[in-house]
Amino acid sequence: HRSVWTDEGMFVECLYSGNVSSEEAKDFFEQAMGIIGTARSHLCEKSSQFRGWVPGPFERRLPTGEDFELHFQSKNAKEENGAVLVTYQSQTEGFKGKSLSSQESMRLSATIRLISTIMREPFFNELRTKQQLGYIVSSYYDLNFSSKQFSIPTDEVFPSTTPIDSIVLYVLSRNTKPTEVINRIDDFLMNFRSRIADMTSYEIQSFADSLADQLTKPIRKLGDEAGGHFSKIRRFAPEVVVDGSEIELEKLPWDNADVLAKCVRTLSREDILNVWDSLVLKTESRSRIVSYVYGNTFPMDIPLKIRSSNDVTGKVVNISTKEELLIKRRSLIPYEPNDKRGIFVRAVWEKHRTRVRYAAAAAAVVGVGLWGLTMMKRDQPKKKTN
């Protein structure tokens, strides 16, 4: 246990779920932290506190107007299959909650989800069943999160988490070269627009109702329900803190599934086509990354045969080494709300005028039973004065 207790990067999260009071939860946490503090004081040569807390991974924003294509040979010399993974990243931040996001964000997130639902079966039928392109053919909606510490004028920092909506298409094939697979995928995507345009209002509403029912399907396991609530507290509680210690409980996005389900049912064909064009088809507005993995049936060409830019692919940035990938990643800006340095920061600053204690703030979240979260934060070292 020595390596755990002496790790300055360690942080503690605590969730109580069930028939307990807030006093019991806080008492449990304080006792647990007392035990940890005692253990650390005996093991650490010098006193140290916990560092600033960030509630998740850090992601980069893909630029518009150029496609990234990553080419790598499989590390398994016996691997016969090749694979292509295509990701379209939304440039508008995903939906956090009705009190934390704009109407535009909500409708865009709902539309991307609906597009993925509509496309799933036709994509499989065309590339897997009809063209027999690969052993695995799938498409799906993907939700990621990007978390970062932001500074405010009082020299404090606070964590903020931004949802990222994406559409992902995946093909695993042994009979078709990966660079040909992407051509087939592009053909499907170009033709799929007309399929959307030809859908009847009844068909669109049927897909919307199906997705809405899926979003609001009752949770059957207590662990799943607790995990869902905990993830919302972890990601968004710091953004609804008031006066450094209290939580505006009603602003936490407890009802996101219901809100999105209601929004999905209001989407029109025009909404779907507009998002499809900007997210997938228009090279000047989309953010796309294509990952190729080559098996021994169709090994990667050396030197790499680069696809030329055209009306379908737009500008192409090819990467084929780990070094190139890391250099390019470092050049990309963080994925954060476009207005982060303006209205959002000023609004949060106003709520964080006193020194923020996220442990106390998040622990104030109490619902049916109790959803208690605690986090430890390293204090900033005081500046020396002469």
Side-chain angles (χ1 to χ4, degrees):
H1 295 147
R2 179 182 295 273
S3 62
V4 175
W5 300 133
T6 57
D7 181 5
E8 294 185 2
M10 185 185 73
F11 63 91
V12 175
E13 294 177 325
C14 176
L15 171 68
Y16 245 129
S17 175
N19 187 24
V20 294
S21 67
S22 60
E23 290 75 17
E24 290 174 314
K26 292 176 182 177
D27 181 63
F28 168 82
F29 178 73
E30 289 172 357
Q31 291 187 45
M33 292 305 300
I35 295 172
I36 294 173
T38 301
R40 286 177 60 84
S41 66
H42 291 151
L43 294 173
C44 298
E45 295 181 359
K46 60 180 180 179
S47 176
S48 62
Q49 296 179 345
F50 294 96
R51 66 182 58 184
W53 173 79
V54 179
F58 172 64
E59 301 287 342
R60 303 277 184 172
R61 184 184 290 273
L62 297 176
T64 59
E66 60 182 21
D67 293 350
F68 290 97
E69 300 204 346
L70 314 181
H71 302 261
F72 292 96
Q73 183 67 38
S74 172
K75 296 296 185 180
N76 182 1
K78 297 181 179 180
E79 178 60 65
E80 297 179 341
N81 295 291
V84 176
L85 183 74
V86 186
T87 301
Y88 291 92
Q89 183 190 82
S90 173
Q91 283 295 304
T92 300
E93 54 270 17
F95 181 62
K96 295 183 180 183
K98 57 188 178 184
S99 63
L100 298 174
S101 298
S102 65
Q103 287 289 315
E104 176 192 9
S105 175
M106 178 183 68
R107 293 190 68 81
L108 183 62
S109 287
T111 306
I112 293 174
R113 284 171 166 84
L114 182 56
I115 287 173
S116 298
T117 299
I118 295 172
M119 183 174 61
R120 185 179 300 115
E121 186 174 339
F123 183 71
F124 179 87
N125 289 341
E126 176 63 27
L127 274 67
R128 175 67 176 88
T129 304
K130 184 177 178 180
Q131 298 188 27
Q132 297 186 351
L133 193 60
Y135 179 70
I136 298 177
V137 175
S138 66
S139 64
Y140 53 91
Y141 164 79
D142 193 30
L143 177 62
N144 292 299
F145 295 90
S146 181
S147 300
K148 187 181 178 183
Q149 293 275 18
F150 287 95
S151 298
I152 52 180
T154 57
D155 292 328
E156 289 289 344
V157 292
F158 65 91
S160 175
T161 298
T162 304
I164 306 171
D165 297 314
S166 300
I167 292 178
V168 180
L169 306 99
Y170 173 58
V171 175
L172 179 73
S173 177
R174 188 176 62 178
N175 60 32
T176 307
K177 193 173 184 177
T179 50
E180 175 58 25
V181 169
I182 191 60
N183 291 333
R184 306 282 188 90
I185 292 174
D186 282 338
D187 288 343
F188 170 85
L189 297 175
M190 288 291 292
N191 295 328
F192 191 68
R193 190 189 193 282
S194 61
R195 183 185 181 97
I196 298 173
D198 292 339
M199 291 177 67
T200 65
S201 298
Y202 175 79
E203 288 177 309
I204 293 174
Q205 193 60 51
S206 295
F207 279 112
D209 289 340
S210 176
L211 175 57
D213 290 343
Q214 181 181 351
L215 287 169
T216 55
K217 184 178 180 180
I219 300 174
R220 300 186 180 278
K221 296 182 179 180
L222 179 60
D224 294 340
E225 184 176 15
H229 284 292
F230 192 37
S231 65
K232 292 172 184 176
I233 296 170
R234 180 190 296 116
R235 292 170 182 141
F236 306 126
E239 296 183 38
V240 297
V241 68
V242 178
D243 295 329
S245 60
E246 298 296 329
I247 287 286
E248 292 181 297
L249 184 62
E250 70 279 1
K251 289 189 176 181
L252 277 170
W254 306 116
D255 58 348
N256 266 14
D258 293 326
V259 173
L260 284 171
K262 183 178 180 180
C263 181
V264 162
R265 288 191 164 102
T266 69
L267 299 175
S268 66
R269 181 186 296 103
E270 183 180 2
D271 293 324
I272 298 171
L273 288 174
N274 287 339
V275 173
W276 180 260
D277 289 343
S278 63
L279 182 66
V280 177
L281 291 190
K282 292 183 178 179
T283 58
E284 66 273 17
S285 63
R286 75 184 185 191
S287 298
R288 177 169 108 154
I289 183 167
V290 183
S291 300
Y292 303 85
V293 178
Y294 298 84
N296 61 28
T297 305
F298 297 100
M300 185 172 71
D301 294 321
I302 301 176
L304 183 67
K305 293 182 179 179
I306 299 175
R307 287 209 301 166
S308 60
S309 300
N310 54 49
D311 292 338
V312 175
T313 61
K315 180 182 178 182
V316 177
V317 177
N318 287 276
I319 296 173
S320 59
T321 68
K322 180 180 178 180
E323 291 72 22
E324 291 175 341
L325 179 60
L326 293 176
I327 291 172
K328 190 61 183 179
R329 176 177 170 78
R330 286 193 291 268
S331 72
L332 301 179
I333 64 174
Y335 197 107
E336 59 191 60
N338 291 322
D339 63 346
K340 180 63 68 177
R341 301 187 185 282
I343 298 174
F344 180 82
V345 167
R346 290 195 296 273
V348 175
W349 177 36
E350 290 298 323
K351 293 191 296 184
H352 292 74
R353 285 185 178 276
T354 59
R355 189 163 186 81
V356 178
R357 301 293 183 186
Y358 290 118
V365 181
V366 179
V368 178
L370 177 91
W371 311 106
L373 167 67
T374 50
M375 296 154 285
M376 295 181 293
K377 176 181 181 298
R378 176 193 290 271
D379 286 333
Q380 299 293 333
K382 295 181 179 180
K383 296 181 180 178
K384 294 182 178 180
T385 57
N386 296 325

